[in-house]
């Protein structure tokens, strides 16, 4: 439910499960890639430490898997806070705030079936989730404020 305070719209959107799974794949990819680099380095340096490196890599992947498993237990119930103003949309609260100024958005991908808009800037991107009843308002509010050069894609 969107509430309005002092010209700002605030709500908590439910994070899409498939978006969370995408994050898990990135985490496993980064950890697995680093493990492979360490194995290659151990082989290149003579292989004396290969056993220790393999055990360490196994431990790293086990911890990574456990953390992802624990986060996956709450999949589909995770909420993300949003604040929309005339100038930007702020994802998160407190120290975790990430503002996306409309004038700096280069691409917006609208996933109507998932009630999600993915905003892309020059240096990053972020998802905006809204409840089904509020999604049309949020989508229109954001898209009206994008620069003319921004690409809008509907999926």
């Amino acid at each position: 439910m969107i509430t309005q305070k002092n010209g700002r719209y605030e709500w908590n959107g439910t994070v899409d499960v498939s978006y969370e799974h995408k994050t898990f794949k990135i985490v496993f990819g980064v950890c697995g890639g680093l493990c492979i680099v360490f194995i290659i380095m151990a082989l290149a340096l003579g292989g004396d430490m290969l056993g220790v490196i393999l055990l360490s890599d196994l431990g790293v992947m086990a911890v990574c898997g456990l953390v992802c498993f624990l986060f996956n237990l709450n999949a589909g119930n995770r909420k993300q806070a949003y604040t929309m103003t005339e100038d930007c949309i702020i994802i998160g609260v407190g120290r975790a705030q990430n503002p996306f100024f409309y004038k700096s958005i280069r691409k917006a991908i609208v996933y109507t079936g998932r009630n999600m808009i993915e905003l892309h800037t020059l240096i990053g991107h972020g998802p905006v989730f809204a409840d089904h009843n509020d999604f049309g308002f949020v989508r229109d509010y954001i898209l009206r404020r994008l620069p003319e050069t921004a690409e809008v894609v509907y999926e």
Side-chain angles (χ1 to χ4, degrees), residues 23-93:
T23 305
F24 297 152
K25 289 178 185 177
I26 292 170
V27 169
F28 273 114
V30 169
C31 288
L34 286 172
C35 289
I36 290 171
V37 167
F38 291 140
I39 291 170
I40 292 171
M41 286 176 53
L43 290 172
L45 296 174
D48 294 341
M49 296 295 292
L50 185 60
V52 173
I53 296 292
L54 288 173
L55 285 174
S56 298
D57 288 350
L58 181 64
V60 166
M61 292 307 288
V63 169
C64 177
L66 178 64
V67 169
C68 287
F69 172 75
L70 293 174
F71 270 95
N72 198 35
L73 290 176
N74 197 26
N77 296 322
R78 201 170 333 279
K79 299 285 187 182
Q80 177 67 54
Y82 298 97
T83 304
M84 269 191 320
T85 67
E86 284 291 323
D87 301 323
C88 68
I89 182 164
I90 302 168
I91 300 174
V93 293

